[in-house]
Amino acid sequence: MSNDLPARLAAPLPRRQTLPLNPLWRRRLKGLALPLLIVITLEIIVRVGWLPSYQMPAPSEVALTLTDLAEGALWKHIGASLIRVLIGFAIGASLALVFAAWVGLSREAEAYLEPTFAALRSIPSLAWVPLLLLWLGIDETSKIVLIAIGAFFPVYVNVVAAIRNIDRKLVEVGHIYGFSRLQLVRRILLPAALPGLFTGLRSGMSLAWMFLVAAELIAATKGLGYLLSDGRETSRPDIVLAAIIVLALLGKLSDGLLAALERRWLAWRDTFTGQGSKD
């Protein structure tokens, strides 16, 4: 046994086994690669003088501006914008679901409503602003209505398309089993239309943030859109970029929450997820 001791001491130590990284976190890390590359590239370009700092401040300067704003009024602006988006999105998406279900289930309703809705959704967001200001003033109501308009049409279009793309054989099976209209909607139409519904909700949320900026740029004393306008008027591109970054983060967070709900409610689907790495 003593003869085996030198051999054991000379033998290499076993490698510590590391737990594999969670595939979800691995995908998230991959998603950070492009933003980090852009930040590093911009920092280098600005620092060497290829891009004037009064036009494009270095990312480190924007980070300092964000820190200063976070110690001041930034949270007030975020809170005001977030409340407006949530209320406007809830109103617009709820109305869109009602009208989409009506139009999707009834050809008569489609004949009456679809031409008008098709014309209204072609109107740019900024075209609504002067009219809403004349009708509703510069208070919160005009901003929330504008956001609701932005959220309405993506949800409406996607839900109507989802209902109309349901396989007719599924509806016929429901009729064979004697389903009432409510049972048909709850057990066949709603599950089949859920993917389109979530697509519409996520698109509606993105449009809600865009319409928020349109409202706050023109008539607001607080909010991220107001912060954008203030940075432009004071020739502070760092403030403008800081507001844009916060808007992007809030938009990504809200979309991520809807995406998480989509994965949970549609976990029963066995769909194609793309080719390539399994990470």
Side-chain angles (χ1 to χ4, degrees):
M1 183 173 180
S2 60
N3 294 334
D4 296 337
L5 184 58
R8 291 183 180 181
L9 293 176
L13 294 174
R15 292 184 178 179
R16 294 180 60 184
Q17 293 184 352
T18 57
L19 294 175
L21 191 63
N22 189 313
L24 178 60
W25 284 104
R26 190 172 296 178
R27 286 196 298 271
R28 289 175 178 174
L29 290 175
K30 290 179 179 179
L32 291 174
L34 182 58
L36 286 175
L37 178 61
I38 293 174
V39 167
I40 294 172
T41 304
L42 282 176
E43 186 75 26
I44 295 173
I45 289 176
V46 174
R47 292 300 178 187
V48 299
W50 293 347
L51 195 62
S53 59
Y54 64 86
Q55 290 183 344
M56 173 61 72
S60 57
E61 295 179 9
V62 177
L64 291 175
T65 301
L66 272 172
T67 303
D68 293 337
L69 290 173
E71 296 174 354
L74 179 61
W75 301 108
K76 179 188 72 174
H77 295 306
I78 291 176
S81 294
L82 193 59
I83 291 173
R84 289 166 184 158
V85 166
L86 291 178
I87 296 175
F89 175 75
I91 294 173
S94 299
L95 291 174
L97 289 176
V98 173
F99 282 101
W102 188 14
V103 171
L105 296 173
S106 171
R107 284 179 293 182
E108 193 73 12
E110 180 184 18
Y112 280 105
L113 298 177
E114 180 57 28
T116 302
F117 285 164
L120 290 176
R121 68 173 175 262
S122 301
I123 300 176
S125 60
L126 290 177
W128 290 102
V129 174
L131 184 62
L132 292 177
L133 291 178
L134 288 172
W135 284 354
L136 304 173
I138 61 173
D139 293 333
E140 293 297 306
T141 305
S142 59
K143 301 176 184 60
I144 291 174
V145 170
L146 182 61
I147 295 167
I149 291 172
F152 178 90
F153 290 107
V155 178
Y156 168 80
V157 170
N158 281 278
V159 174
V160 169
I163 293 174
R164 290 299 175 88
N165 287 329
I166 294 173
D167 194 338
R168 182 182 297 179
K169 297 182 180 63
L170 295 176
V171 181
E172 293 174 355
V173 168
H175 290 315
I176 292 173
Y177 279 94
F179 285 175
S180 64
R181 178 178 284 268
L182 181 60
Q183 289 176 316
L184 189 67
V185 171
R186 183 171 59 87
R187 302 185 63 178
I188 293 180
L189 297 182
L190 182 58
L194 273 179
L197 169 62
F198 275 105
T199 300
L201 290 176
R202 294 175 68 178
S203 300
M205 180 61 77
S206 298
L207 264 293
W209 284 108
M210 294 181 190
F211 275 57
L212 165 84
V213 174
E216 291 182 342
L217 277 173
I218 295 175
T221 57
K222 57 183 178 179
L224 294 171
Y226 167 78
L227 197 62
L228 283 168
S229 179
D230 183 62
R232 175 184 58 81
E233 292 176 358
T234 56
S235 299
R236 291 283 305 275
D238 56 330
I239 293 180
V240 174
L241 287 171
I244 290 173
I245 290 171
V246 174
L247 282 167
L249 292 175
L250 290 174
K252 180 65 178 71
L253 178 61
S254 58
D255 182 75
L257 291 174
L258 289 174
L261 286 176
E262 181 180 9
R263 287 193 298 268
R264 181 171 182 176
W265 287 12
L266 300 179
W268 48 268
R269 294 189 305 168
D270 185 15
T271 56
F272 177 67
T273 57
Q275 295 179 343
S277 174
K278 295 182 179 180
D279 298 339

